[in-house]
């Protein structure tokens, strides 16, 4: 600890690169334009980012072209929140964001992302925060004056290596889960949307499923209904019954072990639950079209609809069935998008034989159980990372002790 120093970011060689203070025109395809909503849990998620032309990308990156190990800092709305640039990810920087980049000999570039999540960082945020009528903010001129406790470079590199090992495992779990979800979705689409096995039989193509599965599919498509022969076109409420979620004002909520699910997804926890797992929800008000499969006891909020009853179907089949519905066309609201469950109930969907649904569900549940274990593992790893970070940054725990804990966890 005697070699640790308190230094300002400017003295430590951290540059601040400001954004362009205007917004480029959006287009359907192009380079990602990262703004505050794309900063999630210390990472950049470009999934729903605005897309901009190559010309605008060049113009918007003249001042700030992101590089590996850079840190994106939000100056407004949630001042102090950061996300680091993973690998060679290229994007244009949105308004109210800046890049932090280590260019000196005092801070290892890979350590910067952890330094800006330390308790000392947040002490500086509180010190320099400008309180506004609507949003708090940070001034670009103040950030280089942040003073932080800086360990020697070898210690920095060891700390970054330890914490990054946990983050890398979390990222690996996330990617694995995306792959598992994509595989399951592809199977559902082939069997129940494109009717792949039946079309293959009708066209005389070779079987591509095990015999016990292949034999379950009809031999042809019914020319009148457009679905496999023997299947029915049924109203949705002949398969599932949707129910409005339950009120739970913030004032009455108590943190607990049970997730609260809103129209947009996870919305904190509560110490009581209303629905046994597995469960399926979708948005009723505010956000439409998102469908969630919940594998633990949960509380669906009144902004959502949850499946109260499954009729000749299974929760996981119903989850994918709802995912294939365009909910926007059923919007019964005006300023606030709203879904009337009766409109959804009256929708006609193909109803396969229950044996095929059960076979699909068995396959899908195995893949989803693996996803669930990966997610739980990631939660544990994130908890360990968040407990180690302040202790490593303050010198309370030594690197060798932290390495043992990470080896056991990973």
């Amino acid at each position: 600890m005697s070699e640790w120093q308190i230094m300002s970011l400017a003295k430590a060689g951290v540059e601040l690169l400001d954004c362009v203070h205007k917004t480029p025109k959006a287009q359907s395809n192009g380079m990602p334009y990262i703004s505050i909503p794309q900063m999630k849990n210390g990472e950049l998620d470009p999934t729903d980012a605005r897309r901009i032309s190559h010309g605008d990308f060049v113009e918007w990156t003249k001042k700030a072209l992101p590089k590996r190990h850079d840190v994106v800092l939000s100056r407004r709305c949630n001042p102090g929140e950061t996300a680091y640039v993973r690998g060679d990810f290229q994007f244009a920087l949105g308004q109210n964001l800046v890049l932090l980049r280590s260019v000196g000999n005092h801070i290892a570039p890979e350590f910067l992302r952890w330094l800006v999540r330390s308790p000392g960082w947040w002490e500086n945020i509180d010190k320099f925060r400008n309180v506004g009528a609507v949003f708090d903010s940070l001034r670009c001129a103040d950030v280089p004056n942040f003073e932080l406790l800086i360990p020697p470079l070898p210690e920095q590199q060891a700390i970054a290596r330890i914490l990054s090992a946990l983050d890398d495992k979390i990222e690996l779990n996330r990617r694995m889960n995306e792959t598992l979800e994509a595989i399951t979705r592809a199977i559902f689409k082939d069997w129940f949307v494109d009717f792949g096995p039946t079309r293959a039989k009708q066209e005389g193509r070779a079987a591509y499923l095990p015999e016990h599965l292949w034999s379950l599919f009809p031999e042809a498509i019914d020319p009148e209904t457009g679905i496999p022969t023997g299947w029915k076109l049924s109203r949705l409420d002949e398969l599932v019954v949707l129910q409005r979620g339950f009120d739970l004002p913030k004032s009455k909520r108590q943190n607990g072990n049970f997730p609260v699910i809103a129209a947009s997804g996870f919305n904190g926890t509560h110490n009581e639950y209303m629905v046994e797992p597995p469960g399926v929800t979708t948005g009723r008000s505010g956000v439409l079209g998102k469908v969630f499969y919940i594998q633990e006891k949960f509380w669906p909020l009144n902004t959502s609809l949850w499946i109260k009853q499954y009729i000749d179907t299974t929760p996981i089949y119903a989850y994918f069935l709802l995912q294939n519905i365009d909910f926007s066309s059923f919007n019964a609201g005006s300023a606030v998008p709203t879904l009337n469950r009766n409109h959804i109930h009256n929708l006609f969907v193909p109803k396969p034989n229950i044996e095929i649904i059960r076979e699909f569900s068995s396959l899908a549940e195995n893949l989803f159980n693996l996803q669930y274990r990966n997610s739980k593992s990631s939660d544990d790893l994130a908890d360990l990372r968040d407990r180690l970070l302040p202790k490593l940054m303050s010198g309370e725990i030594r690197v060798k002790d932290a390495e043992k804990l990470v080896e056991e966890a990973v």
Side-chain angles (χ1 to χ4, degrees):
M1 289 292 292
S2 61
E3 298 179 3
W4 294 40
Q5 302 178 59
I6 294 179
M7 280 190 283
S8 68
L9 289 179
K11 184 178 178 181
V14 175
E15 287 185 345
L16 184 147
L17 307 174
D18 198 5
C19 65
V20 176
H21 293 275
K22 57 182 179 179
T23 302
K25 183 180 178 180
Q27 58 179 41
S28 57
N29 295 298
M31 297 298 289
Y33 174 82
I34 295 294
S35 52
I36 292 173
Q38 282 76 57
M39 299 174 64
K40 301 173 182 176
N41 301 316
E43 300 272 356
L44 298 173
D45 182 358
T47 305
D48 58 352
R50 174 189 291 254
R51 299 289 163 167
I52 63 174
S53 69
H54 178 72
D56 281 340
F57 173 77
V58 171
E59 182 66 27
W60 258 255
T61 54
K62 285 180 179 177
K63 292 174 63 178
L65 178 63
K67 295 182 179 179
R68 185 185 183 198
H69 297 312
D70 283 355
V71 169
V72 178
L73 165 64
S74 173
R75 294 194 306 104
R76 197 164 180 260
C77 299
N78 51 354
E81 291 293 335
T82 58
Y84 91 112
V85 179
R86 185 184 285 275
D88 298 321
F89 176 46
Q90 292 289 283
F91 60 92
L93 198 64
Q95 290 200 62
N96 301 309
L97 300 179
V98 298
L99 286 179
L100 299 180
R101 177 178 298 161
S102 178
V103 295
N105 297 321
H106 296 290
I107 295 181
E110 66 270 26
F111 177 73
L112 182 60
R113 62 180 286 208
W114 304 112
L115 183 65
V116 299
R117 295 172 65 173
S118 67
W121 171 261
W122 290 105
E123 290 170 8
N124 279 274
I125 296 298
D126 291 340
K127 177 181 177 181
F128 289 99
R129 182 193 304 267
N130 297 298
V131 179
V134 180
F135 297 111
D136 293 354
S137 63
L138 294 171
R139 293 194 313 132
C140 287
D142 288 333
V143 176
N145 296 323
F146 285 15
E147 293 188 331
L148 295 155
L149 184 62
I150 311 294
L153 280 171
E155 194 97 358
Q156 293 180 32
Q157 292 162 344
I159 291 172
R161 184 172 63 250
I162 290 168
L163 297 176
S164 295
L166 293 169
D167 247 25
D168 289 346
K169 177 58 177 174
I170 293 171
E171 175 64 11
L172 179 62
N173 285 344
R174 185 191 67 79
R175 291 183 180 180
M176 187 182 299
N177 280 358
E178 282 187 349
T179 300
L180 292 170
E181 172 98 13
I183 290 170
T184 318
R185 190 180 299 114
I187 294 171
F188 181 90
K189 184 175 185 293
D190 181 51
W191 291 14
F192 305 113
V193 179
D194 297 335
F195 314 127
T198 296
R199 292 189 186 280
K201 286 185 174 187
Q202 183 170 271
E203 296 166 8
R205 289 185 275 123
Y208 59 85
L209 296 174
E211 176 58 30
H212 75 283
L213 292 177
W214 194 251
S215 63
L216 294 176
F217 288 89
E219 299 291 329
I221 300 293
D222 186 323
E224 293 186 6
T225 62
I227 64 175
T229 55
W231 292 15
K232 299 177 181 178
L233 280 175
S234 301
R235 290 196 339 173
L236 188 66
D237 63 1
E238 294 177 31
L239 282 84
V240 298
V241 177
L242 292 159
Q243 178 72 39
R244 178 173 172 161
F246 306 92
D247 291 346
L248 185 61
K250 291 275 188 182
S251 59
K252 294 185 178 180
R253 194 180 301 186
Q254 298 182 37
N255 289 335
N257 296 323
F258 308 112
V260 176
I261 309 298
S264 58
F266 178 76
N267 192 257
T269 63
H270 190 47
N271 64 346
E272 297 180 18
Y273 69 92
M274 297 298 290
V275 181
E276 292 278 353
V280 179
T281 72
T282 189
R284 183 194 65 83
S285 175
V287 176
L288 305 184
K290 291 190 174 183
V291 185
F292 303 97
Y293 184 76
I294 304 100
Q295 292 171 273
E296 51 196 326
K297 297 172 181 177
F298 68 102
W299 185 298
L301 284 179
N302 61 342
T303 58
S304 66
L305 295 170
W306 63 283
I307 297 181
K308 182 179 181 179
Q309 184 179 2
Y310 302 91
I311 308 166
D312 290 336
T313 188
T314 65
I316 202 159
Y317 177 84
Y319 166 72
F320 283 100
L321 182 65
L322 292 186
Q323 279 199 333
N324 279 275
I325 295 174
D326 180 10
F327 287 96
S328 62
S329 61
F330 295 94
N331 179 18
S334 52
V336 178
T338 305
L339 189 66
N340 185 320
R341 71 171 185 143
N342 292 326
H343 293 166
I344 299 297
H345 279 163
N346 290 327
L347 182 70
F348 280 86
V349 296
K351 186 179 180 181
N353 298 331
I354 187 62
E355 292 83 1
I356 298 177
I357 291 177
R358 286 172 179 159
E359 288 288 350
F360 168 79
S361 299
S362 178
L363 259 173
E365 284 166 7
N366 288 335
L367 296 175
F368 268 48
N369 287 338
L370 180 54
Q371 282 183 264
Y372 183 72
R373 291 195 292 272
N374 287 342
S375 296
K376 285 299 181 185
S377 171
S378 292
D379 290 344
D380 292 340
L381 293 170
D383 179 67
L384 176 60
R385 177 200 63 201
D386 294 343
R387 285 187 286 113
L388 286 178
L389 192 151
K391 294 180 179 181
L392 285 167
M393 291 299 187
S394 66
E396 180 182 341
I397 186 172
R398 306 307 297 168
V399 165
K400 289 184 178 179
D401 295 327
E403 284 176 336
K404 292 178 182 178
L405 292 172
V406 172
E407 286 174 6
E408 293 172 0
V410 175

